Amino acid sequence: MSYNPRKTAERIRALRIAKKVSQIQLALDLNLSRDQIAKVEGGTSQPSAELLVLLSDYYAVSVDYILKGTTKNAAVADDLREVIERLSQIKQRLS
């Protein structure tokens, strides 16, 4: 699996939603701005190495998973794929 910036943004958003955390709460927890979170999740800004490590620790997933979607934990991957699929469906309905 290769790096895809759009998919990375979707995974970061899906992780937040799966944890039931708002962008504001995530920003507070990581000492960042909500705007910074929104830009990364929206794909208009790429996460820095520092942010990738913070997100990895916060969500207890690997940086590799955030960047490429690879994981050794198949159950987590399945759950996140489902969340991403649901988000895509919602996005299509809103379009």
Side-chain angles (χ1 to χ4, degrees):
M1 189 170 264
S2 63
Y3 174 68
N4 179 323
R6 183 181 58 79
K7 291 289 187 186
T8 295
E10 289 176 3
R11 272 189 294 281
I12 291 170
R13 178 177 161 83
L15 284 164
R16 180 181 57 77
I17 290 170
K19 191 165 179 165
K20 299 180 181 172
V21 176
S22 68
Q23 286 183 343
I24 292 169
Q25 186 60 53
L26 178 61
L28 289 170
D29 291 348
L30 298 182
N31 199 27
L32 302 167
S33 71
R34 191 208 65 84
D35 187 54
Q36 192 174 4
I37 299 299
K39 286 179 179 178
V40 168
E41 287 186 359
T44 59
S45 177
Q46 294 301 305
S48 66
E50 181 181 0
L51 180 54
L52 288 169
V53 171
L54 287 171
L55 292 170
S56 172
D57 290 344
Y58 188 81
Y59 295 122
V61 297
S62 69
V63 171
D64 191 55
Y65 174 76
I66 294 171
L67 290 174
K68 299 188 302 182
T70 55
T71 180
K72 293 180 182 175
N73 187 338
V76 172
D78 289 342
D79 289 346
L80 290 173
R81 267 195 281 300
E82 184 178 326
V83 170
I84 290 169
E85 178 61 31
R86 286 182 185 171
L87 287 172
S88 295
Q89 291 171 355
I90 290 168
K91 184 178 176 181
Q92 287 175 353
R93 286 186 208 140
L94 293 174
S95 297

